[in-house]
């Protein structure tokens, strides 16, 4: 969820079948949400999720509202999970081939 000033990231930990989604390196994903102040930290180096709980919760609620409305609009298809990721091995092979 992004505004002009803030960027909020809620990690997606499981695919639509409930299987764990690994990170870029094939390891377990970090579970903590991220919140960045884009005006003062445009390179997103300082996670403010714990320092600014009010903004984190506000953006999490907005993301949840958007998600629920999209699932309804798409007749149950989840825009965040349907076609979300490739198998890690396939993804890494594709990344390697781009070098």
């Amino acid at each position: 969820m992004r505004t002009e000033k803030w960027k909020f990231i809620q990690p997606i930990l499981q695919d639509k079948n409930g299987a764990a989604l690994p990170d870029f390196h094939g390891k377990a994903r970090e579970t903590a949400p991220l919140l960045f102040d884009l005006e003062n930290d445009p390179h997103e180096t300082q996670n403010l999720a714990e320092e600014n709980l009010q903004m984190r919760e506000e953006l999490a609620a907005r993301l949840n509202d958007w998600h629920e409305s999209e699932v309804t609009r798409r007749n149950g298809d989840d825009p965040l999970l349907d076609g979300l990721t490739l198998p890690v091995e396939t993804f890494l092979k594709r990344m390697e081939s781009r070098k």
Side-chain angles (χ1 to χ4, degrees):
M1 174 59 62
R2 189 179 189 137
T3 69
E4 194 169 310
K5 178 174 173 57
W6 296 99
K7 181 176 180 180
F8 172 75
I9 301 169
Q10 178 62 58
I12 299 172
L13 304 175
Q14 297 178 335
D15 67 15
K16 66 181 179 179
N17 299 317
L21 289 170
D23 70 6
F24 179 79
H25 303 287
K27 299 187 189 298
R29 288 185 179 203
E30 184 64 42
T31 61
L34 304 171
L35 178 68
F36 299 104
D37 178 343
L38 298 174
E39 288 179 359
N40 297 308
D41 181 19
H43 299 290
E44 303 173 15
T45 60
Q46 187 176 7
N47 179 8
L48 301 175
E50 293 302 317
E51 289 84 7
N52 197 332
L53 296 176
Q54 181 177 350
M55 182 55 61
R56 182 182 88 186
E57 294 305 316
E58 178 183 321
L59 293 176
R62 288 175 62 183
L63 177 61
N64 187 59
D65 290 347
W66 169 84
H67 182 246
E68 287 179 359
S69 69
E70 281 299 301
V71 169
T72 299
R73 187 179 73 79
R74 296 167 183 248
N75 297 316
D77 290 336
D78 190 324
L80 300 178
L81 297 180
D82 292 338
L84 177 66
T85 62
L86 297 170
V88 173
E89 296 79 18
T90 303
F91 175 76
L92 292 175
K93 284 179 186 176
R94 287 184 183 182
M95 292 302 293
E96 184 65 29
S97 71
R98 292 182 180 178
K99 290 183 180 178

